[in-house]
């Protein structure tokens, strides 16, 4: 029994020495940063419509669907958000809010011109997206890790050392969004009723800021 205890203690001490040696390894800590700009390929709009009564609201909604469909917006890309009836106003107003999605195939300028109707109360951007954003995120993260390794290599090379195995890799999300809403575009589409008649306003995808992705990866490499 006593021998077993000694053996057990010996293993524990040996294991502790190994851990202590691993902890005391010389290392370099660096941070790699990578960025990418991605062009949006989808825009999701919120739209508000009104009617003096339920029947008129229904007719206006039907007309809205016809306009959207004629401009290439699919039924599955149109969603109901909310409906409201002002019972306390002298003039009863029925309103409805919907959401629709357009792609690069959509002639956004022509669509907005068609939506310049008295029963359209507001149109604004809800989201700006890219359908392949997940793949782009992976690419940026990999590039950030490569940048960290490259930094460790040239720093250690300057003192005659080399980077060994990575001891620790930590992901830092600086800024990333697949639903970015650029401020310079928000003001242009805040109220389409006011600006749809302006022929100089460009509502195409070319007038939207790119989605910006930025990732940082902090790493520790063993010094050889």
């Amino acid at each position: 029994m006593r021998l077993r205890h000694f053996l057990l203690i010996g293993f524990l001490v040996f294991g502790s020495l190994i851990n202590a040696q691993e902890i005391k390894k010389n290392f370099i800590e660096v941070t790699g940063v990578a960025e990418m700009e991605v062009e949006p390929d989808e825009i999701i709009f919120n739209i508000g419509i009104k009617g003096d009564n339920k029947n008129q609201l229904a007719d206006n909604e039907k007309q809205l669907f016809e306009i959207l469909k004629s401009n290439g917006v699919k039924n599955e890309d149109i969603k109901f958000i909310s409906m409201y009836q002002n019972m306390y106003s002298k003039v009863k107003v029925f309103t409805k809010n919907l959401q629709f999605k357009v792609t690069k195939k959509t002639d956004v300028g022509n669509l907005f011109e068609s939506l310049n109707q008295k029963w359209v109360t507001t149109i604004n951007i809800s989201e700006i997206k890219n359908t392949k954003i997940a793949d782009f995120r992976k690419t940026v993260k990999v590039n950030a890790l490569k940048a960290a390794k490259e930094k460790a290599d040239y720093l250690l090379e300057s003192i005659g050392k080399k980077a060994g195995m990575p001891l620790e890799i930590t992901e830092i999300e600086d800024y990333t969004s697949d639903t970015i809403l650029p401020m310079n575009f928000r003001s242009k589409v805040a109220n389409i009723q006011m600006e749809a008649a302006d022929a100089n306003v460009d509502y195409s995808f070319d007038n939207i800021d790119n989605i910006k992705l930025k990732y940082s990866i902090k790493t520790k490499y063993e010094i050889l």
Side-chain angles (χ1 to χ4, degrees), residues 37-99:
E37 289 195 7
V38 180
E39 291 185 0
D41 57 13
E42 288 184 351
I43 309 175
I44 298 176
F45 288 95
N46 289 332
I47 183 169
I49 61 175
K50 67 178 181 178
D52 294 335
N53 51 62
K54 288 184 178 180
N55 291 334
Q56 189 180 75
L57 181 64
D59 291 339
N60 291 339
E61 183 180 7
K62 182 179 179 181
Q63 189 175 347
L64 170 64
F65 270 74
E66 290 174 353
I67 292 173
L68 294 176
K69 288 173 66 177
S70 65
N71 283 274
V73 179
K74 301 176 182 179
N75 280 338
E76 57 266 30
D77 293 332
I78 307 172
K79 297 180 180 179
F80 167 78
I81 298 178
S82 63
M83 186 173 178
Y84 175 73
Q85 177 182 354
N86 190 341
M87 299 296 296
Y88 301 99
S89 175
K90 292 182 180 180
V91 180
K92 291 184 179 180
V93 178
F94 294 78
T95 62
K96 198 167 190 178
N97 295 308
L98 300 100
Q99 197 174 80

Side-chain angles (χ1 to χ4, degrees):
M1 293 294 292
R2 185 173 298 177
L3 179 60
R4 289 184 180 178
H5 288 162
F6 283 137
L7 288 174
L8 180 59
I9 292 171
F11 282 131
L12 290 174
V13 172
F14 182 68
S16 298
L17 289 173
I18 292 175
N19 291 334
Q21 288 176 357
E22 289 178 352
I23 293 172
K24 290 181 180 179
K25 282 182 179 179
N26 292 327
F27 65 86
I28 182 173
E29 182 175 289
V30 293
T31 300
V33 181
E35 300 180 49
M36 179 185 289
E37 289 195 7
V38 180
E39 291 185 0
D41 57 13
E42 288 184 351
I43 309 175
I44 298 176
F45 288 95
N46 289 332
I47 183 169
I49 61 175
K50 67 178 181 178
D52 294 335
N53 51 62
K54 288 184 178 180
N55 291 334
Q56 189 180 75
L57 181 64
D59 291 339
N60 291 339
E61 183 180 7
K62 182 179 179 181
Q63 189 175 347
L64 170 64
F65 270 74
E66 290 174 353
I67 292 173
L68 294 176
K69 288 173 66 177
S70 65
N71 283 274
V73 179
K74 301 176 182 179
N75 280 338
E76 57 266 30
D77 293 332
I78 307 172
K79 297 180 180 179
F80 167 78
I81 298 178
S82 63
M83 186 173 178
Y84 175 73
Q85 177 182 354
N86 190 341
M87 299 296 296
Y88 301 99
S89 175
K90 292 182 180 180
V91 180
K92 291 184 179 180
V93 178
F94 294 78
T95 62
K96 198 167 190 178
N97 295 308
L98 300 100
Q99 197 174 80
F100 64 90
K101 179 175 69 178
V102 302
T103 66
K104 282 198 168 184
K105 295 180 180 180
T106 309
D107 186 343
V108 182
N110 184 69
L111 172 60
F112 281 6
E113 185 177 347
S114 301
L115 288 174
N116 188 20
Q117 306 288 337
K118 292 181 178 180
W119 44 267
V120 175
T121 56
T122 57
I123 298 181
N124 53 67
I125 293 178
S126 172
E127 298 177 18
I128 295 176
K129 308 179 71 174
N130 183 290
T131 52
K132 297 181 179 179
I133 198 71
D135 294 331
F136 290 124
R137 280 203 193 100
K138 292 177 183 178
T139 300
V140 179
K141 292 177 183 179
V142 169
N143 289 341
L145 183 57
K146 289 180 178 179
K149 180 61 166 60
E150 183 180 350
K151 184 186 292 186
D153 285 338
Y154 71 70
L155 287 175
L156 290 175
E157 185 179 353
S158 67
I159 58 173
K161 299 290 184 177
K162 294 182 179 181
M165 294 293 294
L167 304 176
E168 184 178 317
I169 298 175
T170 304
E171 178 183 331
I172 304 172
E173 183 174 326
D174 291 343
Y175 172 77
T176 180
S177 174
D178 60 347
T179 59
I180 188 171
L181 178 54
M183 292 301 296
N184 66 343
F185 198 76
R186 185 203 304 261
S187 60
K188 294 179 181 179
V189 295
N191 192 334
I192 198 65
Q193 282 284 133
M194 297 173 60
E195 298 191 6
D198 188 350
N200 295 322
V201 178
D202 182 9
Y203 296 108
S204 68
F205 277 83
D206 294 335
N207 197 36
I208 300 177
D209 291 345
N210 289 339
I211 299 170
K212 296 179 180 179
L213 301 178
K214 182 179 179 180
Y215 281 99
S216 298
I217 302 289
K218 183 169 68 175
T219 59
K220 289 182 180 180
Y221 288 97
E222 181 183 2
I223 297 178
L224 301 178

